Amino acid sequence: MTKLQFLAMLTMLIDHIGLIWFPENIAWRVIGRLALPFYAFTMVLGYFRTSNIHRYLKRTAVIAILSQLPYQFAFQRLEVNTVGSLFACLLLLYLLDKWNGKPIPQALLAAGFAGALEVLPFSYGAYVVMLVLIYRYAQTQWFTLFHFSLNAVSFFIKGWFIQAFSLFATIFIIYMPDFMRSADKIKVPRLVWRSFYPLHLAIIAVVYYVTSNQSFKDMIRAL
């Protein structure tokens, strides 16, 4: 799983640098579309492999809380950050397994979470819920088709054309297992993995504040 963690961090960093400093260059955002599927798939793997789901939930919640202010300052968005969205998805998986064997309550619960993330709002909204459910419940050979369908629906409903490139992350995960195994030489320490999201957002926010003409009060008002 460490190679996926490395790719998730790298593509997210590229995406955020492009969003802040090179918004006119779409190549940064295209590469960055790979980050969410890598993070979502890694979280699903972590859900299956963890020996203590309650500790996993608490750890993810702490990361989301620590990331919220840096996220808002970096991107000047009044929404829950992406790790917060992934925490909600992780909680959903836990509750769905608690209600195993009860398809109607499970469907209502999943729909409720998707609607809540879309309305409140959370980063990526219902999209991230559906993507996590695909990785959790679909058979591997159907990942690509379901992810493509999700992107198609997102395009027609929200106009998310650039999100279509996220499909390449799923293709990479499913159809390049040999490369993934060879990339195991890349080791990501737990501290780096857990601290990367809030830390890189904080650095981006500070650098943006220092290099921009905005005052601190202007950034507060923008939130």
Side-chain angles (χ1 to χ4, degrees):
M1 189 168 66
T2 54
K3 60 276 189 179
L4 281 178
Q5 293 173 335
F6 174 78
L7 291 172
M9 292 189 299
L10 178 61
T11 51
M12 176 169 283
L13 180 61
I14 290 172
D15 183 48
H16 290 169
I17 290 175
L19 179 62
I20 297 297
W21 287 287
F22 307 102
E24 72 288 346
N25 189 337
I26 196 173
W28 294 79
R29 307 306 314 283
V30 167
I31 296 173
R33 294 310 87 207
L34 306 180
L36 181 66
F38 285 146
Y39 269 100
F41 188 75
T42 300
M43 191 200 72
V44 173
L45 288 179
Y47 176 75
F48 280 118
R49 296 176 182 179
T50 184
S51 59
N52 190 324
I53 182 58
H54 296 96
R55 187 186 305 162
Y56 191 16
L57 281 165
K58 290 177 182 177
R59 186 167 61 241
T60 306
V62 169
I63 294 173
I65 292 170
L66 292 176
S67 303
Q68 188 57 36
L69 283 180
Y71 179 86
Q72 290 183 226
F73 282 123
F75 305 123
Q76 300 184 28
R77 294 177 180 174
L78 190 59
E79 66 179 12
V80 178
N81 65 78
T82 303
V83 172
S85 297
L86 290 173
F87 165 76
C89 294
L90 184 62
L91 179 61
L92 173 61
L93 296 184
Y94 172 72
L95 294 176
L96 288 174
D97 280 349
K98 282 285 187 180
W99 288 2
N100 190 31
K102 301 177 180 179
I104 294 179
Q106 284 181 317
L108 292 175
L109 182 64
F113 266 71
L117 264 68
E118 191 69 29
V119 171
L120 286 178
F122 281 66
S123 175
Y124 287 101
Y127 180 94
V128 67
V129 176
M130 299 306 299
L131 185 61
V132 167
L133 291 178
I134 289 171
Y135 289 150
R136 167 62 178 88
Y137 291 104
Q139 295 183 353
T140 305
Q141 63 267 28
W142 293 105
F143 279 5
T144 305
L145 177 60
F146 288 158
H147 191 176
F148 173 82
S149 301
L150 176 61
N151 284 343
V153 171
S154 298
F155 171 73
F156 284 110
I157 294 178
K158 295 188 175 183
W160 284 3
F161 168 75
I162 195 173
Q163 195 63 28
F165 292 98
S166 66
L167 182 64
F168 287 102
T170 296
I171 293 173
F172 188 85
I173 291 169
I174 301 307
Y175 297 107
M176 299 187 69
D178 292 335
F179 173 81
M180 299 298 282
R181 282 192 291 269
S182 68
D184 260 336
K185 295 179 181 179
I186 301 174
K187 300 298 180 182
V188 179
R190 289 183 180 180
L191 180 61
V192 174
W193 172 244
R194 294 171 184 175
S195 64
F196 173 79
Y197 189 73
L199 183 60
H200 95 282
L201 287 176
I203 293 173
I204 287 176
V206 170
V207 173
Y208 178 73
Y209 167 68
V210 170
T211 58
S212 70
N213 293 324
Q214 278 189 308
S215 68
F216 186 73
K217 291 183 178 180
D218 289 337
M219 294 180 68
I220 294 293
R221 292 194 198 98
L223 299 178

